[in-house]
Amino acid sequence: MTKPFLLGAVAYDAKVVTIWDGFQRWFAQHDFAFDYMLYSNYEQQVEGHFSGHFHVAWNSPLAWLQAERIAVRTGRTVKAIAMRDTDCDLTSVIVVRQDSPIQTIRDLRNKTVAVGASDSPQATLIPLLHLAEAGLEPEKDVNVHRFDLLVGKHGDHIGGERHAAKALIDGRVDAACMIDGNHLLFAREGTLPANSTRILAQTAEYDHCNFTVLDTAPIEAVARFRELLLSMSYDDPAVRPLLDLEGLKQWRPGRTEKYALLARAIDRFHTVDAFVDKVSNACR
Amino acid sequence: MTASNAVELGRLGLDQGGYLLIKHALRTVPVGSAIQVSGESPELAIHLRSWCRTQGHRIDFLSQTSADHAPIAIIYRGGAETGRWVGAQSTGDASMPQQHAPACWGLAGRSATVEAGSPSFEFPLNTRTEVWAQEVARLYAQALAAQWNPIAAIPWNEPFDLPDEIEDAVVQVMTYLIENETAALIIPARFAAQIHPHFREVMQLLAIQAADEARHIEVFTRRALLRRTKLGLSTAGGQASLKTLLDETDFTLSGMLLSVLGEGSFLSLLSFLHQHAPDPVTREIARMVSQDEARHVAFGVAHLTWHVNEQPSCLDRLAIAIERRHDMLANTAGLNEEVFDALILLAAGSLQPEALRAGWNKVQTLIADMDQGRIKRLRKIGFPDSKAQSLSALHTRNFM
Ligand SMILES: [Fe+2]
Ligand SMILES: [Fe+2]
C-alpha cells in the first residue's frame, strides 16, 4: 500500500469530517491515496506542518501568514497551491443601524464596535485595520466589543459575526463588523431584517483560505493533488455535495498577493508575533 | 442588449428578494452570456458582489453609484446551475407509476426531476407488480370522502337497558374486536413505511386505512366502557392468531391473510352485529365500521387481483401461505369460547331458552356467511372453485 498524501485541517465544525471523508473517497476513485488529520486550532496545525506531520495544510489566511513568516525566519519556502473561487476578492463591511446618527467612520469615535473572534481576519482584524487607517485606533479612539467565540479557529465559525450582528440590532453596540456576504446572509435568516441596517464602510479586497505546502512536500504527489482538485467539476454529482458543503463551485490556482491587507493588520496589531517567534525558535 | 437581459431593481434590495429578478434574467441567457443590472438600493453593489461570488457568476462593476438608472454591473452567467442538473433523473409519468422505482428517486414525487447524487432510500416495496392495484386512486379518494367523526356519527346517549349478562357479552365482543383492530392498524402502518413513495396512492391508502382502524379501536373501546369500567378477556389463542398476521412480512401474503380473508370475514361479523346487537349504539357502530372495512377488503381484493394478473404463479404462494398459517394455528384454540358464547348471547338478547336457540342459529348462519364470502373473494382473485372452498375452510377460527 502506498503511503497516503496527508492533509491537515482544522475542525471548526462537525461537517469538516463529512467533507474530507468525501474527498478521500473521491480521490481514491481517482487512484490517489489521500488521508487527513484534524486539529482543533490553526496554531497546532501550523506547528504540526513545520514538524512534518502532514504534507498540505488547509490554511486560513491568518494561518497562511503565520506559516509564511515562520518560513522566512527558518529559511524554508511556502507555497499556496490552490484555493476556493469563493475565497477570492472578499471585503468586510462595518454596519450601523439604519436610524443611527453615525454617518461617517469618524462618527465612530468613542463609540462601541462589535467584532468577531480576536483571530478572525474578516470580522475583526481587517475591519479594525480599516478603522485604524482611518484614524481611529481600536481600544483607544473606539471601544471594541469582541465576540470571542472559538478562538484558534481564525473566525471560520460564523457564530462570532452573528453575535455581533445581534448585538447591533439589540442596541448593545453602535456598529458591527462582518464579511460582505454575511450582511446578505443575515438579512435572509432574519438576524438583520431588511432596511434595519446601513453599511457605513467597506474594506479593500482580500483573499481567504488556501492549500499550503512547504518545500519538503513530495513534488509529484503535490502536483497530482492540485491537478485533481482543479479538475473537480460542479457537474459531477459525486463531488458536488462536497463542493456545496465546503462552499465553492470550483477550485482555483493559489495566489498570495491579496493577503497584503491582512498582513498589514497583523503588523499593526502584532497578532501573530509571539506565535511566530515561538515556532521559529523551536524549529531552529 | 435586449430588455430581458437588463434587470432594473429600482429600490428593491437583494436582501428583499431582488436576487430573484437577477436569477430569472440569468436563466434567459446561455452560460457565459451577460445581463445588466441597475438599481438604487444603497447596499446593492456590495450585495451583488457577494451574491455572485457564492452563486459562481462573474461580475464587472460599471460604476459604484447608479445615476439615471444607468446599469451598475454586468453579470456573466456561471455554469453551476446547469451543472447541478446534469445527469438528473426523470421519475416517470405523473399519472401512472413505472414498473420499478429505483432507490435514488428517494422521496421525490412522481414525475419530479431528481438531482444526480441524491441520497438513496431503501424502500423494500418498489415494484408495481407487488404493490399496485387498478382501483387504488379511486379507493383513496373514496376513503378520504367517507371519513366520519365518532362523536357525531354514533348515538352515544341513546337510552338502552340490557340485562347484566347481555351487557357483559357485548363488552366481551368489544374486547375481542379491539385487539383485532389493533393488528389491523399496525400492519398497514408498517407497510406504508416500506412502500416506495413513487407508488404514492398505495402509501396514502394504507395511511388512511391505519387512521380508519384507529377510529375503530376508539369506538369499540368507548362502547365497551359505556356501562363498565374495564374490558373483558383476551385469550392466548386469539392473540396467537393475530400474531401470525403481524409476523407475515410479505406485502402480498399479508394482504391475502389480513384484508381478503380476515377483514372479509369481519364484514360478515359487522353485518351480524348491525342486525342482531341488542342496543342501538353497538348496531350503529357496526354499520359505520363496516363501511370502512368494505374499502379495506376492496383494496385487498384489487391488489391481489392485480398481482395475480401480472404474475399468475403468485396463486401458489398465496395458497401455501394460507396452509402454513393453518398449520401454525392447528394447536391453538382459535376463537375463544368466551367470544363465541358472547356472540350467541348478544344475538339472543336474553337467557330464555327460545332466545338462546335463535341466537345459536344466527351464529351458525354467520359462520356459513363468512365462509361464502371468503370463497367468493378467493374466486375473484383467480382460485378455481374447489381450491377456493378448501382454502376458505383452512381460515383461522379466530375469524381474523
Ligand atoms: Fe377496522
Ligand atoms: Fe380494516
Side-chain angles (χ1 to χ4, degrees):
Chain A
M1 211 180 101
T2 49
K3 267 193 161 171
F5 185 66
L6 263 180
L7 170 114
V10 167
Y12 64 90
D13 187 282
K15 74 175 182 183
V16 168
V17 173
T18 315
I19 292 170
W20 296 111
D21 272 354
F23 280 128
Q24 185 181 39
R25 268 196 304 277
W26 189 87
F27 281 124
Q29 284 159 13
H30 292 77
D31 291 324
F32 185 67
F34 169 90
D35 209 339
Y36 66 95
M37 46 203 301
L38 295 180
Y39 291 86
S40 75
N41 63 77
Y42 279 107
E43 282 68 35
Q44 284 291 340
Q45 176 170 303
V46 171
E47 272 195 82
H49 201 179
F50 280 90
S51 306
H53 293 168
F54 56 84
H55 304 116
V56 62
W58 179 228
N59 268 342
S60 76
L62 190 61
W64 157 258
L65 290 176
Q66 288 169 336
E68 191 184 40
R69 287 172 185 208
I70 294 164
V72 168
R73 293 266 293 272
T74 57
R76 308 280 301 271
T77 51
V78 281
K79 219 169 120 187
I81 58 168
M83 61 193 300
R84 302 186 291 199
D85 55 353
T86 45
D87 273 347
C88 297
D89 308 321
L90 306 172
T91 67
S92 290
V93 291
I94 302 173
V95 182
V96 295
R97 285 182 297 279
Q98 186 67 267
D99 57 4
S100 163
I102 298 166
Q103 296 299 329
T104 69
I105 287 212
R106 284 159 54 191
D107 297 338
L108 283 175
R109 184 171 292 276
N110 297 327
K111 301 281 196 235
T112 302
V113 176
V115 298
S118 55
D119 56 10
S120 168
Q122 64 272 15
T124 306
L125 298 167
I126 287 174
L128 290 183
L129 176 74
H130 191 83
L131 291 177
E133 292 185 341
L136 294 177
E137 200 57 51
E139 318 279 8
K140 193 167 136 255
D141 305 314
V142 60
N143 305 315
V144 179
H145 190 319
R146 292 175 197 274
F147 287 89
D148 247 338
L149 226 65
L150 301 178
V151 173
K153 317 281 196 221
H154 295 185
D156 283 0
H157 197 277
I158 194 174
E161 282 168 83
R162 191 178 279 119
H163 284 302
K166 280 184 182 150
L168 176 68
I169 290 300
D170 297 347
R172 283 179 282 145
V173 298
D174 301 296
C177 303
M178 63 199 70
I179 198 164
D180 53 10
N182 280 347
H183 189 250
L184 196 55
L185 176 75
F186 292 161
R188 184 185 279 232
E189 67 182 30
T191 307
L192 296 178
N195 282 330
S196 64
T197 61
R198 172 154 52 81
I199 293 179
L200 182 71
Q202 183 181 23
T203 70
E205 291 178 354
Y206 57 89
D207 282 356
H208 218 262
C209 304
N210 72 53
F211 287 107
T212 309
V213 291
L214 291 171
D215 42 19
T216 44
I219 295 169
E220 269 178 39
V222 169
R224 180 69 183 140
F225 173 69
R226 183 172 179 276
E227 179 185 36
L228 283 170
L229 278 179
L230 298 184
S231 78
M232 287 181 184
S233 164
Y234 200 69
D235 297 3
D236 173 2
V239 82
R240 187 167 57 237
L242 303 170
L243 299 182
D244 281 343
L245 267 179
E246 185 54 39
L248 74 155
K249 299 282 187 277
Q250 201 173 9
W251 296 105
R252 287 201 188 157
R255 63 178 193 190
T256 57
E257 58 274 16
K258 288 214 169 175
Y259 296 119
L261 193 62
L262 181 61
R264 222 154 73 211
I266 63 175
D267 283 342
R268 185 161 193 138
F269 304 130
H270 306 289
T271 316
V272 303
D273 294 359
F275 173 73
V276 169
D277 283 348
K278 186 191 104 184
V279 181
S280 303
N281 293 336
C283 286
R284 217 168 276 147
Chain B
M1 195 146 299
T2 66
S4 74
N5 295 354
V7 179
E8 167 57 54
L9 290 171
R11 288 161 67 182
L12 181 70
L14 253 56
D15 56 350
Q16 297 164 306
Y19 66 90
L20 288 171
L21 287 175
I22 300 176
K23 258 190 182 172
H24 184 77
L26 282 168
R27 282 185 190 140
T28 66
V29 303
V31 170
S33 296
I35 62 159
Q36 288 184 346
V37 179
S38 51
E40 293 122 56
S41 151
E43 270 87 40
L44 187 58
I46 290 171
H47 287 167
L48 277 175
R49 176 195 181 86
S50 63
W51 184 80
C52 286
R53 192 193 296 132
T54 56
Q55 301 285 316
H57 304 301
R58 206 185 96 208
I59 184 164
D60 286 342
F61 286 95
L62 300 173
S63 64
Q64 284 303 99
T65 54
S66 158
D68 305 309
H69 305 275
I72 70 158
I74 293 182
I75 299 177
Y76 298 86
R77 183 180 182 188
E81 194 186 23
T82 50
R84 178 172 293 279
W85 298 105
V86 170
Q89 293 207 39
S90 153
T91 59
D93 197 66
S95 55
M96 183 64 179
Q98 304 290 299
Q99 170 56 19
H100 173 73
C104 63
W105 288 357
L107 305 175
R110 203 158 62 225
S111 80
T113 302
V114 178
E115 183 182 344
S118 294
S120 285
F121 292 72
E122 291 308 321
F123 292 109
L125 296 170
N126 57 10
T127 66
R128 196 174 57 202
T129 301
E130 60 185 334
V131 304
W132 197 244
Q134 204 77 59
E135 301 284 277
V136 63
R138 192 182 59 78
L139 286 170
Y140 173 66
Q142 213 177 65
L144 213 53
Q147 294 297 299
W148 47 278
N149 175 0
I151 296 171
I154 309 297
W156 298 107
N157 297 321
E158 190 122 333
F160 65 83
D161 195 25
L162 298 181
D164 269 356
E165 57 276 10
I166 303 301
E167 178 66 21
D168 287 345
V170 171
V171 170
Q172 182 54 52
V173 171
M174 294 298 129
T175 305
Y176 158 81
L177 288 172
I178 289 164
E179 60 193 50
N180 280 268
E181 296 293 348
T182 301
L185 181 155
I186 292 168
I187 292 163
R190 208 167 54 187
F191 283 119
Q194 296 178 9
I195 302 245
H196 195 300
H198 183 68
F199 306 99
R200 146 177 85 77
E201 293 86 343
V202 180
M203 182 181 72
Q204 289 170 302
L205 188 79
L206 293 177
I208 207 155
Q209 191 164 321
D212 288 341
E213 308 298 12
R215 186 170 49 236
H216 300 170
I217 294 170
E218 180 195 336
V219 291
F220 290 139
T221 305
R222 190 158 167 187
R223 170 60 190 93
L225 300 179
L226 207 55
R227 301 282 154 93
R228 291 287 185 270
T229 56
K230 62 199 277 275
L231 301 181
L233 305 168
S234 169
T235 62
Q239 293 219 37
S241 176
L242 294 176
K243 186 161 189 301
T244 58
L245 287 181
L246 261 72
D247 288 345
E248 181 54 72
T249 54
D250 183 289
F251 182 53
T252 297
L253 300 184
S254 171
M256 179 75 201
L257 299 176
L258 172 69
S259 297
V260 177
L261 298 178
E263 290 174 309
S265 300
F266 256 53
L267 280 181
S268 302
L269 177 60
L270 290 165
S271 148
F272 169 93
L273 290 174
H274 174 53
Q275 283 175 38
H276 305 308
D279 63 277
V281 176
T282 307
R283 286 196 295 269
E284 189 56 13
I285 288 175
R287 190 179 74 84
M288 295 305 292
V289 168
S290 154
Q291 292 175 3
D292 295 338
E293 292 304 339
R295 281 195 314 273
H296 306 172
V297 176
F299 173 66
V301 171
H303 163 226
L304 269 290
T305 309
W306 166 274
H307 197 154
V308 169
N309 198 35
E310 296 267 302
Q311 201 178 58
S313 65
C314 155
L315 275 181
D316 297 336
R317 275 207 309 136
L318 294 174
I320 290 167
I322 295 169
E323 286 156 6
R324 194 178 57 209
R325 184 171 184 224
H326 174 263
D327 293 347
M328 283 176 70
L329 294 174
N331 297 322
T332 66
L335 181 68
N336 70 59
E337 229 177 285
E338 287 78 4
V339 176
F340 192 78
D341 295 351
L343 287 173
I344 297 168
L345 272 175
L346 179 151
S350 82
L351 286 172
Q352 296 297 318
E354 270 317 300
L356 282 177
R357 188 202 311 280
W360 172 270
N361 286 336
K362 284 169 186 168
V363 171
Q364 292 310 312
T365 309
L366 163 65
I367 288 167
D369 205 44
M370 287 176 167
D371 190 41
Q372 286 311 307
R374 285 194 298 267
I375 293 169
K376 186 184 79 186
R377 289 179 197 105
L378 287 166
R379 284 172 49 199
K380 176 113 198 284
I381 287 166
F383 284 106
D385 273 8
S386 58
K387 189 71 181 172
Q389 284 181 24
S390 63
L391 287 176
S392 173
L394 294 179
H395 185 63
T396 173
R397 287 160 291 167
N398 185 51
F399 303 158
M400 181 77 110

